[in-house]
Amino acid sequence: MGAAIEAVDRAAYADWLQRVGDNALILGHRVSEWCGHGPALEEDIALSNVALDLIGQCQLWLGLAAEVEGKGRSADDLAFLRDAGAFRNVLLVERPNGDFAQTLMRQFLFDAFHIELLRALGKSTDLRVAEIAAKAEKEVAYHLERSADLVIRLGDGSAESHARMEKALKSLWAYTGEMFLDDATDQALAEAGIAPLPSSLKSAWDETVTAVLAEATLAHPGQSWQHKGGKQGIHSEHLGFLLAEMQFLQRAYPGASW
Amino acid sequence: MYAQLVKSEGSKTREEMTPQEIAFQERIDRGERIEPKEWMPEGYRKTLIRQMGQHAHSEIVGQLPEGNWITRAPTLDRKAILLAKVQDEAGHGLYLYSAAETLGISRDELLEQLHNGKMKYSSIFNYPTLTWADIGAVGWLVDGAAIMNQVPLQRTSYGPYARAMVRICKEESFHQRQGYDIMMKMASGTAEQKAMAQDALNRFWYPALMMFGPSDKDSVHSAQSMAWKIKINTNDELRQKFVDQTVPQAKYLGLTVPDENLKWNEEKGGHDFSEPDWNEFFAVIAGNGPCNEERLGARVKAWDDGAWFRDGLMAHAEKAATRRHAAE
């Protein structure tokens, strides 16, 4: 653990931990927007479970990020007091919920990546990372099982559900590539044995996605233009509004305890 | 109380009852539980459907005022706790719809009656949650009032309802504690937080008292429901109990209950207090509360927007069944 920390630049490490934590935070927040508005009571409950898991995971990742950073900040400080440019989540998770098809497809595309990341992180040279990953992996295995199952059933469902799922897939596909791009931070973490290179997770993700889309009778979008920037803090317009809502109380009443 | 003004069927004198009805009443009087497959008077069945349906609807509409603050919860812990609580309410709705289905009505039929306004939900959920302190006040006062009503309902005569109540009560006491915990934080916080806490109490006090329904002397349906043990206590008994429990809690918080007439009455061993404005209550029930349109509108929208999703799953199930059939 100590050796892993020494082997990597502290700022790069904290930055990377925020990438993992922010993905969970922002997606958890998005999913929580559905609470009370789901298309069936069972879905409402299942979505809240997913949101709860992700918020729990983000607390662990951001807690560790704050610890590694060593500036006396807490997970809450990171969540509620950073501006959009300091967030490190991928663009995919900040996409608006749209209809339930869009929410579900976003979840599936992310879950299929998330599970591979967590599996690899289970072998991290930093035991703290390995422990969080092991806990999160169990939860995310369920997320993927659920989202893949629904993608299949709705893709191969009615004409309307098929059309909606296809539309969601087309609109979200351009945000999937970013999850597998390596940059200097990723290289540093991989060299220290803390995390895998994102590009190394691509083939397993491809395999899952291709199989599920085929069973769902949805056309694989193939190669297309891919957006990027979230991991470096260049976000879409949507994130600012999400944060304005999420951070409202902490910003309006600075220093208060809740 | 999540069931208000539930119209009771029946009200027969013993002389008017058939031998079967007398035997049924005697079972209830002996404290026996009635189970789904057993004979029951049509009035008992219909009244229970109304009450359990209203209760279930209250749980799912009740998700909305608190859900309103999930995305604005001030810390990650508060966000997770609130989300878990609102999720519990959906779970309660699910138990209660399932319990009501044992009486021969489907969840879809019950929802249709909610959506077309034939069935009601508790008046309390038509009030807005304007600040974070309201989330505390809802947990403390609204869940507190609900527990008052639901604890005795664990002994109600209909088995599935009583068993659903046992599970629900366990979760509700956690809900009330989380609400009170928010209030404690707010009441001991900055001057602004304390003002928010007082303001929340001011706005939620009387609507919480209304949750128990009008005074028993004006409540025409109570007697039959009590004979059937669908209702265990009178509205006034429960309201009194709620006030007596809540007043010291408010005092501990350093907050003032917004009632000039509130005082301890040694003789009756309880507080004297002002009645809520029943005109307001009937206006809210009639659809004129501050949030009726939003609350019901949100439920109808969720249902309508979800139609393709539910139809899609059905279509897949049919396809899968056809494929299985062809393969056999």
Side-chain angles (χ1 to χ4, degrees), chain A residues 171-190:
Chain A
S171 126
L172 292 167
W173 191 253
Y175 297 94
T176 55
E178 189 191 4
M179 297 189 285
F180 307 101
L181 293 180
D182 304 334
D183 68 3
T185 301
D186 296 310
Q187 302 277 2
L189 271 287

